[in-house]
Amino acid sequence: MPQLRLLRALPALAAFAVFATASADGPKAYVGNFKDNTVSVIDTGTATVVATVPVAAGPHGMIATPDGRTVYVSGDNSSEVSVIDAASDRVARSIEVGKSPHGLAMAPDGRTLLVGVYGEDRVAIVDTATQAIVATVPVPKPHTIAIRPDGRFAYVASQEPGKFALIVIDLATRSVVRTVPLDKPPRDLEFGYDGAALYFTQASINAVQVLDPATDKIVAQIPTGASPHIANVFRGAPAGTIVVQGPGELLLFDPATNLPLRAIAVGKQPHWVAASADGRKAYVTNEGSNDVTIVDLAAGTTATVAVGTAPRKVVVQRVATVAATGARVSIANFAFAPADIVVPVGTSVTWSNDDGSPHGLAYKDGAKGTDLLLPGASFSRAFDKPGNYDYVCSVHPYMSGKVVVRAP
Ligand SMILES: [Cu+2]
């Protein structure tokens, strides 16, 4: 990859990128530019591009770890997954996975990455601690992948001609347990945040299919304009979202009724959508107009940020900067949200257990936490000195987070 080496050899450019990233105030959005072999990094606080990262050829699938510290990008025109360190916004390493990796998915605990290796008819399971492939599961032409929010099953869109299907992998046994046959090729599939429904699209069907994962039956269809691509229901969002490529719109729908609510115009040939951690803003990539539309989902207003050529996937960090009045971290789905939070000195941070299970808080600096935070309960700590405060759940030590306390 000569282009990658050339860019890495430009220390001035790299130093600028690092400086620009370090000054960022908001969580960052990462956008894969399919035809540039780069990722544009957007500071969501200022809605500006703060870095451009060379990655494996044909950036296709993208996913971030729950703590936002690592972003994975698959290179469709390569055999690699690039691993971006979000602190420096550089590729820290590459994982060799086999020919033409497509979709990526991350287990809710952030410990397991799934890669649809389209050209090798298999799904690779990567341990994110070692970045090594620990297992492979045979799946014909795996395109996109969705993991149920409880982390137990992965649904894979299999595009094998004549045998189109959703293929269900049990992540404990790492084997295929069910196949849902389809008559048209599946495109994207996503679980809503609460896991109650799987939303998927199919080539030449102008509707989103709503599948009940308890029965693996299609229970509803949401009518759309031409070529719906991705549908999702984000935590905290006022409505479900569907990217519709033909008319260039983000179609909002009511997840309770599966009926469309309103359409918001975005750019040309929109491809993907990701949401801010609070679910209020959607980031839509526009493959045909080389930009990203930022949509305020409640107000319906939009802003546009120019990126590279043919932007496809986008992920947004679950990291937040807050005002001095106070900060809140939600505990849900066995994760802290946001996992990393940046606050001014003197801020009191409150953790609320919004989960169905008891959790706890153990601070690495030895400050008193709590060993039992029941569902619905909360715990606060005031931070009076600048620094980095790492913590874990005392019940589930794999749940980790950090409070960054800034000097005034
Ligand atoms: Cu816990």
Side-chain angles (χ1 to χ4, degrees):
M1 227 176 294
Q3 192 190 10
L4 182 63
R5 285 202 197 96
L6 176 66
L7 281 161
R8 272 183 179 160
L10 289 170
L13 179 68
F16 174 77
V18 170
F19 171 77
T21 303
S23 70
D25 288 329
K28 292 181 284 188
Y30 290 78
V31 179
N33 302 304
F34 188 73
K35 291 186 180 168
D36 286 350
N37 306 331
T38 61
V39 166
S40 295
V41 184
I42 297 171
D43 174 357
T44 62
T46 58
T48 52
V49 173
V50 293
T52 301
V53 186
V55 294
H60 188 146
M62 292 184 79
I63 199 85
T65 48
D67 63 14
R69 290 173 199 171
T70 306
V71 177
Y72 294 87
V73 188
S74 67
D76 193 331
N77 300 327
S78 80
S79 58
E80 292 175 2
V81 171
S82 299
V83 185
I84 297 175
D85 167 22
S88 63
D89 282 331
R90 291 199 222 181
V91 173
R93 61 181 295 171
S94 296
I95 308 170
E96 180 70 33
V97 293
K99 196 169 161 241
S100 197
H102 280 206
L104 302 179
M106 175 81 54
D109 63 11
R111 291 189 293 184
T112 305
L113 170 76
L114 267 56
V115 184
V117 189
Y118 195 84
E120 312 267 358
D121 294 325
R122 66 185 181 221
V123 169
I125 300 177
V126 174
D127 180 337
T128 58
T130 60
Q131 316 291 11
I133 296 173
V134 292
T136 59
V137 181
V139 173
K141 302 285 176 284
H143 182 53
T144 46
I145 307 171
I147 296 179
R148 211 166 77 175
D150 65 6
R152 293 182 59 199
F153 296 98
Y155 283 61
V156 186
S158 174
Q159 296 185 332
E160 176 82 348
K163 291 163 71 177
F164 304 123
L166 305 184
I167 291 181
V168 186
I169 296 171
D170 182 328
L171 290 175
T173 62
R174 293 167 175 172
S175 58
V176 172
V177 288
R178 284 190 299 283
T179 295
V180 182
L182 301 171
D183 55 354
K184 297 279 199 294
R187 303 184 80 195
D188 183 55
L189 72 181
E190 305 287 337
F191 278 98
Y193 73 90
D194 62 2
L198 177 82
Y199 302 93
F200 73 97
T201 55
Q202 289 177 270
S204 74
I205 296 181
N206 293 336
V208 170
Q209 315 287 0
V210 183
L211 181 126
D212 177 357
T215 60
D216 284 339
K217 297 272 190 279
I218 293 170
V219 292
Q221 289 191 313
I222 307 167
T224 68
S227 192
H229 192 219
I230 171 175
N232 208 344
V233 178
F234 300 108
R235 180 184 296 280
T241 49
I242 305 169
V243 169
V244 192
Q245 291 176 307
E249 66 189 25
L250 187 68
L251 180 64
L252 306 188
F253 71 96
D254 180 351
T257 61
N258 292 312
L259 292 173
L261 295 170
R262 69 184 290 197
I264 298 166
V266 294
K268 282 185 193 154
Q269 207 189 332
H271 185 91
W272 208 252
V273 59
S276 55
D278 62 10
R280 289 180 198 162
K281 284 186 179 169
Y283 293 77
V284 180
T285 52
N286 301 305
E287 190 171 6
S289 48
N290 301 330
D291 49 23
V292 171
T293 306
I294 305 173
V295 181
D296 182 314
L297 290 172
T301 52
T302 61
T304 304
V305 181
V307 292
T309 314
R312 288 193 177 177
K313 300 304 183 288
V314 53
V315 295
V316 181
Q317 287 178 315
R318 297 163 63 195
V319 184
T321 302
V322 298
T325 48
R328 187 176 165 276
V329 175
S330 172
I331 306 173
N333 291 330
F334 292 83
F336 296 105
D340 289 14
I341 194 164
V342 183
V343 298
V345 73
T347 303
S348 180
V349 177
T350 299
W351 284 262
S352 324
N353 185 352
D354 302 322
D355 222 346
S357 306
H359 294 284
L361 287 164
Y363 300 101
K364 297 281 175 69
D365 69 346
K368 185 174 156 40
T370 174
D371 281 336
L372 186 62
L373 195 63
L374 292 167
S378 61
F379 181 87
S380 296
R381 177 182 172 187
F383 292 89
D384 298 322
K385 284 185 189 154
N388 291 344
Y389 298 84
D390 288 291
Y391 64 91
V392 296
C393 171
S394 53
V395 186
H396 314 99
Y398 60 84
M399 295 170 56
S400 64
K402 180 166 70 174
V403 178
V404 178
V405 181
R406 284 196 180 152

